[in-house]
């Protein structure tokens, strides 16, 4: 059992902040946007639009008949539990890895709420080029997951260098 006093669970505050911002922004989008109507923010590049995604990233399994809702709920619950244990076991001194995990956890739980309560994820951010190319709509939870995953990858490649240098100085 990890020593919770020395772990990185304090990063759960960031996860809670991500969940709050995500749910607030989705509520605002549903209250103020019409389905698929584009509201330009940066003309020809960035718009707000309301879209519902019953699937996963890029609408994966969106038309699977309904079973995918509970499949993705189970995955999110399992991954979230794993992330909390991982955070608890990380030394307090680490920064990049727990930051990344907290972002991923907050995003996963924000989208988990949508799946359980609504049966789909609420998306509202639309990046596009003019009206000819569109990236799939996404939300703050998706952004947090993406940034967290990128930071985790960066930490895997560059975070170990600092540990190796520290170990060399001690040894």
């Amino acid at each position: 059992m990890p020593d919770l006093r020395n772990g990185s669970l304090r990063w759960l505050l960031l996860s809670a902040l991500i969940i709050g911002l995500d749910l607030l922004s989705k509520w605002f989008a549903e209250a103020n946007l019409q389905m698929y109507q584009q509201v330009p923010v940066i003309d020809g590049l960035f718009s707000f639009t309301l879209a519902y995604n019953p699937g996963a990233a890029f609408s994966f399994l969106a038309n699977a008949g309904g079973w995918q809702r509970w499949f993705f709920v189970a995955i999110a619950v399992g991954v979230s539990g794993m992330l909390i244990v991982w955070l608890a076991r990380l030394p307090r001194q680490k920064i990049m890895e727990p930051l990344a995990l907290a972002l991923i956890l907050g995003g996963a739980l924000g989208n988990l709420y949508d799946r359980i309560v609504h049966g789909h994820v609420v998306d509202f951010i639309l990046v596009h080029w003019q009206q000819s190319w569109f990236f799939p709509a996404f939300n703050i939870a998706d952004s947090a997951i993406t940034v967290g995953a990128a930071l985790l990858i960066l930490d895997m490649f560059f975070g170990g260098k600092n540990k190796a240098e520290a170990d060399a100085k001690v040894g």
Side-chain angles (χ1 to χ4, degrees):
M1 179 80 179
D3 182 1
L4 299 181
R5 292 169 293 156
N6 294 323
S8 293
L9 287 177
R10 67 178 189 255
W11 288 92
L12 291 177
L13 293 173
L14 176 60
S15 297
L17 177 65
I18 295 298
I19 294 166
L21 289 173
D22 181 60
L23 295 179
L24 184 64
S25 65
K26 290 172 179 175
W27 170 82
F28 186 81
E30 286 193 298
N32 293 289
L33 298 172
Q34 298 296 316
M35 189 67 77
Y36 304 119
Q37 175 194 13
Q38 288 187 38
V39 177
V41 177
I42 300 174
D43 199 37
L45 187 62
F46 172 66
S47 302
F48 288 132
T49 190
L50 182 62
Y52 296 143
N53 181 2
F58 306 106
S59 296
F60 176 67
L61 294 177
N63 297 320
W67 64 267
Q68 74 277 19
R69 172 185 185 183
W70 301 110
F71 174 71
F72 292 131
V73 164
I75 289 174
V77 168
V79 168
S80 296
M82 180 198 71
L83 291 172
I84 291 169
V85 170
W86 190 351
L87 272 170
R89 293 181 177 176
L90 285 176
R92 270 181 95 77
Q93 309 85 290
K94 296 202 81 160
I95 294 177
M96 181 87 84
E97 192 174 359
L99 170 63
L101 296 176
L103 288 170
I104 295 168
L105 179 61
L109 292 175
N111 282 341
L112 174 62
Y113 175 88
D114 277 5
R115 286 189 199 291
I116 291 172
V117 173
H118 304 297
H120 56 258
V121 173
V122 177
D123 292 324
F124 63 92
I125 300 169
L126 185 64
V127 176
H128 54 93
W129 179 250
Q130 304 301 328
Q131 291 296 318
S132 61
W133 175 85
F134 294 87
F135 190 79
F138 58 98
N139 56 47
I140 289 177
D142 298 333
S143 300
I145 292 168
T146 302
V147 170
L151 289 175
L152 201 55
I153 291 167
L154 286 173
D155 187 60
M156 286 177 9
F157 285 111
F158 302 110
K161 179 181 174 189
N162 296 336
K163 183 186 182 317
E165 289 172 359
D167 290 344
K169 288 179 185 177
V170 173

